[in-house]
Amino acid sequence: MRPSLRTKIALISNGIDFDIDLFAATSRRYYENTYGSCVTNRNVKREHRIPQVLLLGDGLVVSVLRREGSPWHLRFDDDRLALYRESEFHQEVDLPEALPFFGKTLKDGARTDDVISAYGAVTPGFFLYPDCHYFDKGKPCGFCSLRKARRTVGKPLVTEFGRERVMETTHIIQNSGWKIPMITNTCGTPPDDEGTRRAIIEPLQAIRDAREPGVRMHVLAHPPHDFRLIDEYKAAGVTSIAFNLEVYSREDFARICPGKDQHYGYDRWWEALDYAKEVFGEYEVYCGLVWGVEPLASSMEGMEAILSRGIGLATNVFHADPGSVMAKSPQPSEDDIIALAEWEAKLYAKYPKAHTIYDVSMRNTIDWEVHNHYMEPVA
Protein backbone atom coordinates (compact mmCIF):
# COMPACT_ATOMS: atom_id res chain seq x y z
CA MET A 1 0.00 0.00 0.00
CA ARG A 2 1.22 3.51 -0.77
CA PRO A 3 2.21 5.42 2.38
CA SER A 4 -0.16 8.25 1.42
CA LEU A 5 -3.15 5.90 1.47
CA ARG A 6 -2.05 4.36 4.76
CA THR A 7 -1.96 7.86 6.27
CA LYS A 8 -5.41 8.65 4.91
CA ILE A 9 -6.85 5.47 6.39
CA ALA A 10 -5.29 6.27 9.77
CA LEU A 11 -6.76 9.78 9.76
CA ILE A 12 -10.24 8.60 8.77
CA SER A 13 -10.18 5.95 11.49
CA ASN A 14 -8.70 8.05 14.31
CA GLY A 15 -9.47 11.62 13.33
CA ILE A 16 -7.06 14.43 14.16
CA ASP A 17 -6.60 16.30 17.43
CA PHE A 18 -6.03 20.05 17.12
CA ASP A 19 -7.02 23.31 18.75
CA ILE A 20 -10.48 24.23 17.44
CA ASP A 21 -9.20 27.81 16.88
CA LEU A 22 -6.16 26.62 14.91
CA PHE A 23 -7.34 28.09 11.60
CA ALA A 24 -9.24 31.13 12.88
CA ALA A 25 -6.37 33.60 12.69
CA THR A 26 -4.59 32.47 9.53
CA SER A 27 -4.63 34.87 6.60
CA ARG A 28 -4.47 32.05 4.06
CA ARG A 29 -7.38 31.62 1.66
CA TYR A 30 -8.70 28.09 1.23
CA TYR A 31 -11.95 26.16 0.90
CA GLU A 32 -13.57 26.16 4.33
CA ASN A 33 -16.14 23.55 5.33
CA THR A 34 -19.69 24.86 4.92
CA TYR A 35 -21.30 21.82 6.62
CA GLY A 36 -23.94 21.24 3.99
CA SER A 37 -24.62 17.61 4.78
CA CYS A 38 -23.10 16.77 8.18
CA VAL A 39 -21.55 18.36 11.25
CA THR A 40 -18.38 16.19 11.55
CA ASN A 41 -16.87 18.22 14.42
CA ARG A 42 -18.26 18.81 17.91
CA ASN A 43 -18.93 22.43 18.99
CA VAL A 44 -17.73 23.80 15.65
CA LYS A 45 -18.73 27.25 14.39
CA ARG A 46 -18.23 28.82 10.97
CA GLU A 47 -15.78 31.35 12.45
CA HIS A 48 -13.42 28.51 13.34
CA ARG A 49 -12.73 28.30 9.57
CA ILE A 50 -11.96 24.59 9.62
CA PRO A 51 -11.14 23.32 6.12
CA GLN A 52 -13.29 20.60 4.58
CA VAL A 53 -10.25 18.53 3.65
CA LEU A 54 -6.49 18.37 3.97
CA LEU A 55 -4.27 17.70 0.98
CA LEU A 56 -1.96 14.79 1.75
CA GLY A 57 -0.02 14.85 -1.50
CA ASP A 58 0.01 12.04 -4.06
CA GLY A 59 -3.39 13.31 -5.27
CA LEU A 60 -5.14 12.43 -1.99
CA VAL A 61 -7.50 14.43 0.20
CA VAL A 62 -8.87 13.47 3.61
CA SER A 63 -11.74 14.78 5.69
CA VAL A 64 -10.89 16.96 8.68
CA LEU A 65 -12.43 14.98 11.53
CA ARG A 66 -11.49 16.69 14.77
CA ARG A 67 -11.32 14.02 17.46
CA GLU A 68 -9.87 14.78 20.88
CA GLY A 69 -7.50 12.08 22.08
CA SER A 70 -6.39 11.01 18.59
CA PRO A 71 -2.71 10.10 18.28
CA TRP A 72 -2.63 12.36 15.21
CA HIS A 73 -2.06 16.08 15.74
CA LEU A 74 -2.12 19.13 13.51
CA ARG A 75 -0.37 22.45 14.05
CA PHE A 76 1.24 25.34 12.23
CA ASP A 77 5.03 25.34 12.33
CA ASP A 78 5.54 28.95 11.26
CA ASP A 79 3.47 29.05 8.04
CA ARG A 80 3.82 25.33 7.44
CA LEU A 81 0.85 23.11 8.35
CA ALA A 82 2.36 20.01 9.91
CA LEU A 83 0.88 16.61 10.75
CA TYR A 84 2.32 14.74 13.73
CA ARG A 85 1.79 11.25 15.10
CA GLU A 86 2.14 11.60 18.87
CA SER A 87 5.14 13.95 19.10
CA GLU A 88 6.86 12.79 15.91
CA PHE A 89 6.61 14.85 12.72
CA HIS A 90 4.90 12.81 9.99
CA GLN A 91 4.54 15.12 7.00
CA GLU A 92 3.57 18.55 5.80
CA VAL A 93 -0.03 18.88 4.58
CA ASP A 94 -1.74 21.62 2.60
CA LEU A 95 -5.12 23.33 2.45
CA PRO A 96 -7.62 23.03 -0.42
CA GLU A 97 -7.65 25.83 -2.95
CA ALA A 98 -10.23 28.57 -2.46
CA LEU A 99 -13.03 28.00 -4.95
CA PRO A 100 -13.21 30.63 -7.71
CA PHE A 101 -17.01 30.47 -7.85
CA PHE A 102 -17.32 31.46 -4.18
CA GLY A 103 -17.43 35.10 -3.10
CA LYS A 104 -20.06 36.11 -5.67
CA THR A 105 -23.49 37.62 -5.12
CA LEU A 106 -26.49 36.50 -7.18
CA LYS A 107 -29.15 38.84 -8.52
CA ASP A 108 -31.48 37.79 -5.70
CA GLY A 109 -28.85 38.70 -3.09
CA ALA A 110 -27.80 35.15 -2.18
CA ARG A 111 -24.09 34.43 -1.77
CA THR A 112 -22.67 31.70 -3.97
CA ASP A 113 -20.91 30.33 -0.86
CA ASP A 114 -24.36 29.51 0.51
CA VAL A 115 -25.72 28.03 -2.73
CA ILE A 116 -22.94 25.86 -4.12
CA SER A 117 -21.59 22.72 -2.52
CA ALA A 118 -18.19 21.27 -3.38
CA TYR A 119 -17.44 17.55 -3.26
CA GLY A 120 -13.88 16.45 -2.60
CA ALA A 121 -13.09 20.18 -2.53
CA VAL A 122 -13.14 20.45 -6.33
CA THR A 123 -16.40 19.14 -7.82
CA PRO A 124 -19.17 21.77 -7.69
CA GLY A 125 -22.82 21.06 -7.22
CA PHE A 126 -25.94 21.64 -5.17
CA PHE A 127 -27.69 20.12 -2.17
CA LEU A 128 -31.29 20.04 -3.31
CA TYR A 129 -34.01 19.75 -0.65
CA PRO A 130 -31.50 19.64 2.25
CA ASP A 131 -33.74 17.76 4.68
CA CYS A 132 -35.18 14.29 5.20
CA HIS A 133 -38.72 13.46 6.29
CA TYR A 134 -37.47 10.42 8.19
CA PHE A 135 -36.33 12.84 10.92
CA ASP A 136 -39.96 13.92 11.34
CA LYS A 137 -40.92 10.29 11.82
CA GLY A 138 -38.15 9.82 14.38
CA LYS A 139 -36.49 7.26 12.10
CA PRO A 140 -33.39 8.82 10.47
CA CYS A 141 -30.40 6.75 9.42
CA GLY A 142 -28.24 6.33 12.50
CA PHE A 143 -25.11 7.92 11.07
CA CYS A 144 -26.82 11.01 9.60
CA SER A 145 -26.34 14.47 11.11
CA LEU A 146 -27.99 16.41 8.27
CA ARG A 147 -30.73 18.06 10.34
CA LYS A 148 -28.30 18.93 13.14
CA ALA A 149 -25.97 20.53 10.59
CA ARG A 150 -28.70 22.56 8.91
CA ARG A 151 -30.08 23.84 12.20
CA THR A 152 -26.69 24.88 13.57
CA VAL A 153 -23.43 25.52 11.72
CA GLY A 154 -24.96 24.97 8.26
CA LYS A 155 -27.96 27.23 8.88
CA PRO A 156 -26.78 30.08 6.56
CA LEU A 157 -26.95 27.76 3.53
CA VAL A 158 -29.92 28.26 1.20
CA THR A 159 -32.75 25.76 1.03
CA GLU A 160 -34.62 27.06 -2.03
CA PHE A 161 -33.40 26.40 -5.56
CA GLY A 162 -35.61 28.27 -7.97
CA ARG A 163 -34.94 28.09 -11.69
CA GLU A 164 -33.33 31.52 -12.07
CA ARG A 165 -31.10 31.05 -9.03
CA VAL A 166 -29.90 27.65 -10.24
CA MET A 167 -29.26 28.78 -13.81
CA GLU A 168 -27.35 31.89 -12.73
CA THR A 169 -25.25 29.86 -10.30
CA THR A 170 -24.51 27.24 -12.96
CA HIS A 171 -23.30 29.99 -15.32
CA ILE A 172 -21.03 31.36 -12.57
CA ILE A 173 -19.55 27.89 -12.00
CA GLN A 174 -18.85 27.40 -15.69
CA ASN A 175 -17.37 30.89 -16.19
CA SER A 176 -15.03 30.61 -13.21
CA GLY A 177 -12.07 29.19 -15.13
CA TRP A 178 -12.29 26.00 -13.05
CA LYS A 179 -12.26 22.66 -14.83
CA ILE A 180 -15.86 21.41 -14.59
CA PRO A 181 -16.21 17.80 -15.81
CA MET A 182 -19.24 17.21 -13.59
CA ILE A 183 -21.91 19.03 -11.62
CA THR A 184 -22.99 16.79 -8.79
CA ASN A 185 -26.14 16.99 -6.71
CA THR A 186 -26.90 15.55 -3.31
CA CYS A 187 -30.61 15.39 -2.60
CA GLY A 188 -32.55 15.10 0.61
CA THR A 189 -35.70 13.03 0.98
CA PRO A 190 -39.04 14.77 0.32
CA PRO A 191 -42.09 13.01 1.76
CA ASP A 192 -43.48 11.97 -1.65
CA ASP A 193 -42.79 11.79 -5.38
CA GLU A 194 -44.55 15.07 -6.15
CA GLY A 195 -42.29 16.78 -3.64
CA THR A 196 -39.33 15.24 -5.44
CA ARG A 197 -40.53 16.65 -8.76
CA ARG A 198 -40.82 20.16 -7.34
CA ALA A 199 -37.75 20.27 -5.13
CA ILE A 200 -35.33 18.11 -7.13
CA ILE A 201 -36.37 17.42 -10.72
CA GLU A 202 -37.19 21.07 -11.51
CA PRO A 203 -33.78 22.41 -10.35
CA LEU A 204 -32.06 19.62 -12.27
CA GLN A 205 -33.88 20.74 -15.40
CA ALA A 206 -32.51 24.25 -14.79
CA ILE A 207 -28.96 22.90 -14.54
CA ARG A 208 -29.52 20.93 -17.74
CA ASP A 209 -30.64 24.04 -19.57
CA ALA A 210 -27.67 26.10 -18.31
CA ARG A 211 -24.79 23.63 -18.48
CA GLU A 212 -22.32 23.44 -21.32
CA PRO A 213 -22.12 20.41 -23.64
CA GLY A 214 -20.10 17.52 -22.24
CA VAL A 215 -20.57 18.41 -18.57
CA ARG A 216 -21.85 15.35 -16.73
CA MET A 217 -24.50 15.56 -14.03
CA HIS A 218 -24.56 13.14 -11.11
CA VAL A 219 -27.36 12.80 -8.55
CA LEU A 220 -27.50 11.11 -5.15
CA ALA A 221 -31.15 10.65 -4.19
CA HIS A 222 -33.65 8.44 -2.43
CA PRO A 223 -35.36 6.14 -4.95
CA PRO A 224 -38.94 7.12 -5.85
CA HIS A 225 -42.06 5.10 -5.21
CA ASP A 226 -43.12 5.45 -8.85
CA PHE A 227 -40.17 4.19 -10.89
CA ARG A 228 -41.23 6.35 -13.85
CA LEU A 229 -39.64 9.20 -11.92
CA ILE A 230 -36.27 7.55 -12.65
CA ASP A 231 -36.96 8.16 -16.35
CA GLU A 232 -37.66 11.78 -15.45
CA TYR A 233 -34.21 12.07 -13.87
CA LYS A 234 -32.73 10.89 -17.16
CA ALA A 235 -34.83 13.37 -19.15
CA ALA A 236 -33.68 16.15 -16.78
CA GLY A 237 -30.12 15.64 -17.98
CA VAL A 238 -28.80 13.34 -15.27
CA THR A 239 -25.98 11.12 -16.58
CA SER A 240 -25.47 8.95 -13.49
CA ILE A 241 -27.46 8.38 -10.32
CA ALA A 242 -26.94 6.83 -6.89
CA PHE A 243 -29.47 5.26 -4.55
CA ASN A 244 -27.50 4.45 -1.38
CA LEU A 245 -28.75 1.42 0.51
CA GLU A 246 -26.04 2.23 3.13
CA VAL A 247 -26.19 -1.14 4.93
CA TYR A 248 -26.25 -4.51 3.18
CA SER A 249 -27.34 -6.88 5.95
CA ARG A 250 -31.13 -6.92 6.01
CA GLU A 251 -31.20 -6.99 9.82
CA ASP A 252 -28.65 -4.20 10.23
CA PHE A 253 -30.41 -2.16 7.54
CA ALA A 254 -33.62 -2.32 9.59
CA ARG A 255 -31.75 -1.29 12.74
CA ILE A 256 -29.57 1.49 11.33
CA CYS A 257 -31.92 2.85 8.63
CA PRO A 258 -35.38 2.34 10.17
CA GLY A 259 -37.10 4.98 8.02
CA LYS A 260 -35.82 3.52 4.78
CA ASP A 261 -36.70 0.03 5.96
CA GLN A 262 -40.23 0.72 7.25
CA HIS A 263 -41.38 3.36 4.78
CA TYR A 264 -39.71 2.15 1.59
CA GLY A 265 -38.32 -1.34 2.04
CA TYR A 266 -35.13 -3.32 1.52
CA ASP A 267 -36.36 -5.36 -1.44
CA ARG A 268 -37.95 -2.34 -3.11
CA TRP A 269 -34.58 -0.58 -2.93
CA TRP A 270 -32.93 -3.32 -4.99
CA GLU A 271 -35.81 -3.19 -7.48
CA ALA A 272 -35.23 0.56 -7.90
CA LEU A 273 -31.52 -0.01 -8.53
CA ASP A 274 -32.24 -2.64 -11.16
CA TYR A 275 -34.79 -0.41 -12.87
CA ALA A 276 -32.36 2.52 -12.87
CA LYS A 277 -29.67 0.36 -14.46
CA GLU A 278 -31.99 -0.27 -17.39
CA VAL A 279 -32.49 3.49 -17.75
CA PHE A 280 -28.91 4.75 -17.25
CA GLY A 281 -26.88 1.74 -18.31
CA GLU A 282 -24.42 -0.65 -16.71
CA TYR A 283 -22.28 0.88 -13.96
CA GLU A 284 -23.87 4.32 -14.38
CA VAL A 285 -26.10 3.63 -11.37
CA TYR A 286 -24.43 3.46 -7.96
CA CYS A 287 -25.27 2.04 -4.57
CA GLY A 288 -23.45 3.28 -1.50
CA LEU A 289 -22.47 1.30 1.57
CA VAL A 290 -21.07 2.68 4.83
CA TRP A 291 -17.99 0.84 6.06
CA GLY A 292 -17.92 0.27 9.80
CA VAL A 293 -21.60 -0.02 10.71
CA GLU A 294 -22.05 -3.74 10.05
CA PRO A 295 -19.78 -6.81 10.25
CA LEU A 296 -16.94 -7.00 7.72
CA ALA A 297 -18.40 -10.12 6.13
CA SER A 298 -21.71 -8.35 5.47
CA SER A 299 -19.99 -5.36 3.89
CA MET A 300 -17.88 -7.63 1.70
CA GLU A 301 -20.89 -9.64 0.60
CA GLY A 302 -22.79 -6.44 -0.14
CA MET A 303 -19.98 -4.93 -2.20
CA GLU A 304 -19.93 -7.94 -4.49
CA ALA A 305 -23.73 -8.14 -4.63
CA ILE A 306 -23.77 -4.59 -5.96
CA LEU A 307 -21.00 -4.97 -8.55
CA SER A 308 -22.25 -8.34 -9.76
CA ARG A 309 -25.55 -6.70 -10.84
CA GLY A 310 -23.77 -4.19 -13.08
CA ILE A 311 -24.26 -1.44 -10.49
CA GLY A 312 -21.42 0.82 -9.41
CA LEU A 313 -20.08 0.75 -5.87
CA ALA A 314 -19.80 3.87 -3.73
CA THR A 315 -18.51 3.46 -0.18
CA ASN A 316 -18.09 5.84 2.72
CA VAL A 317 -16.23 5.22 5.96
CA PHE A 318 -18.38 5.75 9.04
CA HIS A 319 -17.56 8.82 11.13
CA ALA A 320 -19.36 9.40 14.42
CA ASP A 321 -20.94 12.81 13.90
CA PRO A 322 -22.37 14.88 16.76
CA GLY A 323 -26.12 15.16 16.40
CA SER A 324 -26.50 11.69 14.91
CA VAL A 325 -28.01 8.61 16.57
CA MET A 326 -24.61 6.89 16.36
CA ALA A 327 -22.60 9.85 17.69
CA LYS A 328 -21.03 7.72 20.42
CA SER A 329 -20.31 4.67 18.26
CA PRO A 330 -16.68 3.77 17.53
CA GLN A 331 -15.25 4.57 14.12
CA PRO A 332 -13.87 1.53 12.25
CA SER A 333 -10.31 0.48 12.98
CA GLU A 334 -7.47 0.91 10.50
CA ASP A 335 -7.24 -2.88 10.15
CA ASP A 336 -10.94 -3.16 9.28
CA ILE A 337 -10.70 -0.39 6.67
CA ILE A 338 -7.65 -2.05 5.13
CA ALA A 339 -9.40 -5.44 5.02
CA LEU A 340 -12.38 -3.90 3.20
CA ALA A 341 -10.04 -2.05 0.84
CA GLU A 342 -8.18 -5.24 -0.02
CA TRP A 343 -11.49 -6.92 -0.82
CA GLU A 344 -12.61 -3.95 -2.89
CA ALA A 345 -9.38 -4.13 -4.90
CA LYS A 346 -10.11 -7.79 -5.72
CA LEU A 347 -13.65 -6.86 -6.78
CA TYR A 348 -12.46 -4.09 -9.10
CA ALA A 349 -10.17 -6.65 -10.74
CA LYS A 350 -13.07 -9.10 -11.05
CA TYR A 351 -15.47 -6.48 -12.47
CA PRO A 352 -13.21 -4.35 -14.70
CA LYS A 353 -16.07 -2.33 -16.20
CA ALA A 354 -16.87 -0.84 -12.82
CA HIS A 355 -15.55 2.64 -12.05
CA THR A 356 -15.92 5.34 -9.43
CA ILE A 357 -18.37 8.25 -9.54
CA TYR A 358 -15.65 10.87 -9.27
CA ASP A 359 -12.27 10.91 -10.97
CA VAL A 360 -10.58 12.54 -7.95
CA SER A 361 -9.89 11.58 -4.35
CA MET A 362 -12.82 12.20 -2.00
CA ARG A 363 -12.75 12.99 1.70
CA ASN A 364 -14.37 10.04 3.55
CA THR A 365 -13.92 7.23 1.05
CA ILE A 366 -10.99 5.45 -0.57
CA ASP A 367 -12.86 4.07 -3.61
CA TRP A 368 -10.86 6.23 -6.04
CA GLU A 369 -7.58 5.23 -4.41
CA VAL A 370 -8.40 1.53 -4.55
CA HIS A 371 -9.63 1.76 -8.15
CA ASN A 372 -6.39 3.54 -9.10
CA HIS A 373 -4.18 0.87 -7.52
CA TYR A 374 -3.03 2.75 -4.41
CA MET A 375 -3.28 -0.61 -2.62
CA GLU A 376 -0.20 -1.61 -4.60
CA PRO A 377 3.27 -0.16 -4.00
CA VAL A 378 4.64 2.29 -6.54
CA ALA A 379 6.83 0.41 -9.03
Side-chain angles (χ1 to χ4, degrees), residues 161 163 166 196-207:
F161 295 88
R163 180 175 177 83
V166 170
T196 297
R197 286 189 173 92
R198 291 190 302 271
I200 297 174
I201 296 292
E202 290 180 10
L204 292 174
Q205 292 169 338
I207 299 171

Side-chain angles (χ1 to χ4, degrees), residues 50-339:
I50 294 177
Q52 186 189 72
V53 302
L54 297 175
L55 309 183
L56 297 177
D58 206 14
L60 272 62
V61 304
V62 66
S63 181
V64 181
L65 301 174
R66 182 174 177 269
R67 300 291 185 264
E68 295 179 356
S70 169
W72 293 90
H73 302 272
L74 198 62
R75 74 186 193 204
F76 279 106
D77 290 342
D78 296 323
D79 194 42
R80 183 180 70 163
L81 187 57
L83 178 67
Y84 286 79
R85 179 171 174 82
E86 303 295 357
S87 58
E88 182 177 346
F89 174 77
H90 184 74
Q91 70 172 85
E92 185 175 344
V93 295
D94 208 350
L95 298 175
E97 185 177 349
L99 302 178
F101 33 79
F102 274 22
K104 314 293 183 183
T105 301
L106 303 181
K107 293 176 182 177
D108 63 9
R111 299 167 63 248
T112 52
D113 308 44
D114 297 329
V115 179
I116 306 169
S117 298
Y119 301 81
V122 296
T123 304
F126 301 90
F127 197 128
L128 306 176
Y129 193 83
D131 201 358
C132 173
H133 74 98
Y134 293 140
F135 282 101
D136 296 327
K137 293 179 168 60
K139 300 181 185 299
C141 293
F143 48 80
C144 183
S145 60
L146 171 60
R147 183 162 286 185
K148 173 74 171 181
R150 287 299 180 127
R151 289 184 173 180
T152 56
V153 67
K155 193 172 183 177
L157 303 178
V158 304
T159 58
E160 299 295 328
F161 295 88
R163 180 175 177 83
E164 294 303 318
R165 173 178 283 180
V166 170
M167 292 189 72
E168 183 184 2
T169 306
T170 302
H171 288 309
I172 289 173
I173 290 170
Q174 295 180 142
N175 293 331
S176 67
W178 198 267
K179 182 182 178 183
I180 311 293
M182 174 188 287
I183 295 175
T184 191
N185 304 272
T186 297
C187 305
T189 309
D192 53 42
D193 288 347
E194 283 308 309
T196 297
R197 286 189 173 92
R198 291 190 302 271
I200 297 174
I201 296 292
E202 290 180 10
L204 292 174
Q205 292 169 338
I207 299 171
R208 176 200 62 196
D209 295 342
R211 70 178 177 180
E212 296 175 353
V215 175
R216 304 191 307 276
M217 184 156 60
H218 177 71
V219 167
L220 165 59
H222 189 291
H225 292 276
D226 182 351
F227 287 174
R228 288 176 296 180
L229 199 64
I230 296 173
D231 298 271
E232 294 181 35
Y233 276 109
K234 179 78 170 179
V238 175
T239 54
S240 63
I241 196 165
F243 298 144
N244 287 353
L245 187 68
E246 316 289 11
V247 185
Y248 178 69
S249 161
R250 186 184 292 269
E251 294 76 18
D252 288 322
F253 177 76
R255 175 177 57 86
I256 296 170
C257 302
K260 289 181 175 181
D261 178 63
Q262 296 171 30
H263 297 280
Y264 194 80
Y266 184 89
D267 294 318
R268 184 67 170 168
W269 204 282
W270 286 105
E271 292 170 5
L273 287 165
D274 289 336
Y275 184 96
K277 187 188 76 170
E278 296 304 312
V279 174
F280 287 92
E282 191 175 50
Y283 295 115
E284 293 300 340
V285 175
Y286 294 84
C287 180
L289 295 179
V290 180
W291 287 0
V293 297
E294 62 182 321
L296 290 183
S298 295
S299 289
M300 291 177 177
E301 184 180 350
M303 290 157 67
E304 180 151 28
I306 290 166
L307 290 172
S308 68
R309 297 168 91 111
I311 295 168
L313 178 63
T315 74
N316 206 298
V317 183
F318 169 68
H319 43 96
D321 287 352
S324 68
V325 174
M326 299 176 69
K328 295 184 179 180
S329 298
Q331 296 181 180
S333 68
E334 295 176 50
D335 287 345
D336 283 357
I337 296 171
I338 290 170

Side-chain angles (χ1 to χ4, degrees), residues 20 35 39-46 48-50 153:
I20 199 168
Y35 304 97
V39 182
T40 65
N41 299 309
R42 194 174 304 280
N43 300 320
V44 70
K45 299 177 181 178
R46 295 289 280 273
H48 290 135
R49 300 186 57 213
I50 294 177
V153 67

